Amino acid sequence: MKKAAAIIALLFLALVPIAGATTWNYENFVKQSIAWYYLYQSDEQKFSELYNLSVQMNVSNETLALAMELYNNASAEYSQAITYGIPQETQTFRWVVFSVHIRKAYLYISQAVEVLEEALALPENQTS
């Protein structure tokens, strides 16, 4: 009986919105997806510049390999997202699938950029 009451209480808390809590908004979801798309584009350009600079600065092969692996993962997710095209401003299932892949692509590319930025900052810290 206590177990059933606990489950009911848990369901009640999960299904009843907390006062003042924001609700899910489809338009915000679409805007986030578009933002991830443009952030990916920006970080991809930044990655190319940082990767070339890292090669010139003789960054370790392990670091370059890690950055390239993350970049390849990002490219694969981006390609998967683009197969759905950038969906129109209507409520379609395509936005959900596009959003999942473009967000993963952005996360991978931002990690790759971070790895390269840290690698390039390392020699500066050692000379100080």
Side-chain angles (χ1 to χ4, degrees):
M1 183 66 174
K2 286 184 179 181
K3 197 174 202 180
I7 291 172
I8 291 171
L10 184 61
L11 286 173
F12 180 74
L13 288 174
L15 297 176
V16 175
I18 299 172
T22 58
T23 58
W24 187 80
N25 184 331
Y26 187 81
E27 290 176 12
N28 289 340
F29 174 73
V30 170
K31 289 176 186 176
Q32 286 176 343
S33 300
I34 293 170
W36 289 323
Y37 172 79
Y38 286 113
L39 287 169
Y40 175 87
Q41 297 291 320
S42 174
D43 277 1
E44 186 176 38
Q45 196 171 29
K46 190 184 303 183
F47 174 83
S48 296
E49 294 167 3
L50 288 173
Y51 190 84
N52 291 334
L53 182 60
S54 297
V55 169
Q56 292 173 0
M57 298 294 290
N58 294 324
V59 170
S60 73
N61 288 336
E62 294 84 17
T63 301
L64 292 174
L66 174 60
M68 188 54 73
E69 180 183 348
L70 290 166
Y71 174 75
N72 290 335
N73 291 343
S75 296
E77 290 293 338
Y78 178 79
S79 295
Q80 188 71 27
I82 293 303
T83 61
Y84 294 93
I86 299 177
Q88 301 299 317
E89 294 283 333
T90 58
Q91 293 186 8
T92 66
F93 181 69
R94 297 181 90 169
W95 273 113
V96 175
V97 180
F98 174 83
S99 182
V100 167
H101 291 291
I102 201 66
R103 183 172 184 271
K104 285 182 181 180
Y106 168 67
L107 291 174
Y108 278 127
I109 196 77
S110 64
Q111 288 172 348
V113 166
E114 186 177 312
V115 164
L116 293 175
E117 285 176 340
E118 288 175 3
L120 290 171
L122 189 61
E124 294 175 4
N125 292 338
Q126 291 177 346
T127 58
S128 299

